[in-house]
Amino acid sequence: MKKYIQNKLAMYKVVRQLMEENAPTWNTIPAVESVFNDLTSKIVELEKLAVKQGSKLTGFAKSKTKLKVVTIEQTDDIAGALSVYAESIKDDVLKAKVTLSISSLKRGTKEQMLAKIEEIILIATELSTELIPFGVTTVHIDALTVNYTELREQSYNVRMEIIKRKQLTNAINTLSKETDKVLNTGLDQLMKMVKSVDAIFYEKYKSARMIIEHGTKHKLPPNDAELPKGFLGA
């Protein structure tokens, strides 16, 4: 969640707290109660979206990184055996196809890396019998195939998670705009009716609406406290 959205959510929650603490002042006004209920439901939904968006990709990243290292090393081993085999039969075309390095696999894009690993698996599978004297058996090829398949699936899952994260961001931004509208065109206007009943509460409300400063935690003064000079909103 972006910092300015975090600050706005903090402001929404302070407003909610203030309204709840002063419910007897406004709960006899049906319109205020209706708008406040709408505000509360949007805040709850924003909090839920924030929790979902806050879940980290760390687990994905760590497991994927470890699997990637192992899979690249397996590919390099089998490609090395293929290269020696190609040299032994003087097949320059095959040697060109299987010549690679760990650094070249890491240097390329994810798609390029997966495509090269798949190519090595296909060639090794076709030449599995010929590779036995060079230390590569079907066990090695199968192990690489399993890790390659899992790596491809993990890459897909991470990509889907990133897309989901973007969708959550869009949903949060939309809901934040809706919440602002509830405040700007609803509660802010209706709260003017409360001014004649409880002027201090009204001024605290205006102050709470401006609590969006970066990196600062704000607490509302107790209801019976005198407001410090400069605390009132314009």
Side-chain angles (χ1 to χ4, degrees):
M1 181 181 286
K2 293 181 179 179
K3 186 65 178 178
Y4 79 95
I5 295 291
Q6 290 179 345
N7 291 329
K8 288 178 81 170
L9 178 56
M11 179 267 288
Y12 300 154
K13 292 164 74 172
V14 171
V15 170
R16 179 179 62 184
Q17 176 190 341
L18 179 65
M19 293 294 292
E20 290 173 344
E21 290 175 353
N22 293 271
T25 304
W26 55 265
N27 61 10
T28 56
I29 307 173
V32 176
E33 185 172 12
S34 176
V35 173
F36 178 66
N37 289 340
D38 189 17
L39 172 67
T40 299
S41 66
K42 291 187 184 303
I43 294 173
V44 170
E45 186 60 28
L46 267 173
E47 289 173 327
K48 290 179 180 178
L49 290 175
V51 170
K52 289 182 180 179
Q53 190 188 49
S55 60
K56 297 182 179 180
L57 285 169
T58 305
F60 273 116
K62 285 184 178 179
S63 59
K64 182 184 174 185
T65 299
K66 182 176 180 180
L67 179 62
K68 179 180 177 181
V69 170
V70 172
T71 306
I72 287 177
E73 289 176 350
Q74 290 175 318
T75 303
D76 184 58
D77 291 342
I78 294 177
L82 282 167
S83 180
V84 175
Y85 167 72
E87 181 69 28
S88 71
I89 62 173
K90 307 302 180 184
D91 188 335
D92 293 336
V93 175
L94 174 60
K95 187 171 182 179
K97 286 183 178 180
V98 302
T99 298
L100 54 81
S101 65
I102 289 178
S103 60
S104 66
L105 286 174
K106 291 181 177 179
R107 193 166 52 243
T109 65
K110 178 176 57 183
E111 290 73 20
Q112 290 172 334
M113 177 193 71
L114 291 171
K116 191 61 182 180
I117 294 173
E118 183 179 13
E119 182 182 20
I120 295 299
I121 290 173
L122 292 174
I123 295 173
T125 301
E126 185 178 349
L127 298 173
S128 58
T129 301
E130 289 85 346
L131 287 176
I132 293 176
F134 297 88
V136 174
T137 67
T138 54
V139 173
H140 299 97
I141 299 171
D142 289 346
L144 173 58
T145 302
V146 168
N147 285 341
Y148 159 78
T149 301
E150 186 176 348
L151 185 61
R152 180 174 284 280
E153 289 177 353
Q154 280 195 9
S155 296
Y156 173 80
N157 290 337
V158 170
R159 188 162 62 251
M160 290 300 101
E161 187 66 23
I162 291 173
I163 291 173
K164 179 181 176 183
R165 199 68 65 86
K166 289 180 179 178
Q167 291 173 337
L168 284 170
T169 297
N170 291 336
I172 287 172
N173 290 338
T174 298
L175 189 55
S176 178
K177 290 178 181 178
E178 293 175 357
T179 307
D180 286 339
K181 185 176 180 180
V182 169
L183 287 168
N184 295 332
T185 65
L187 196 57
D188 288 354
Q189 306 307 316
L190 290 169
M191 283 300 292
K192 295 175 183 178
M193 301 167 57
V194 177
K195 185 175 182 180
S196 61
V197 178
D198 192 333
I200 292 180
F201 169 42
Y202 176 69
E203 296 299 344
K204 285 182 180 179
Y205 174 83
K206 289 199 299 181
S207 295
R209 287 284 284 114
M210 294 185 292
I211 299 177
I212 54 174
E213 296 176 15
H214 291 269
T216 305
K217 292 184 178 179
H218 300 265
K219 291 184 179 180
L220 291 170
N223 288 336
D224 57 353
E226 291 185 8
L227 292 174
K229 186 176 180 181
F231 184 74
L232 300 185

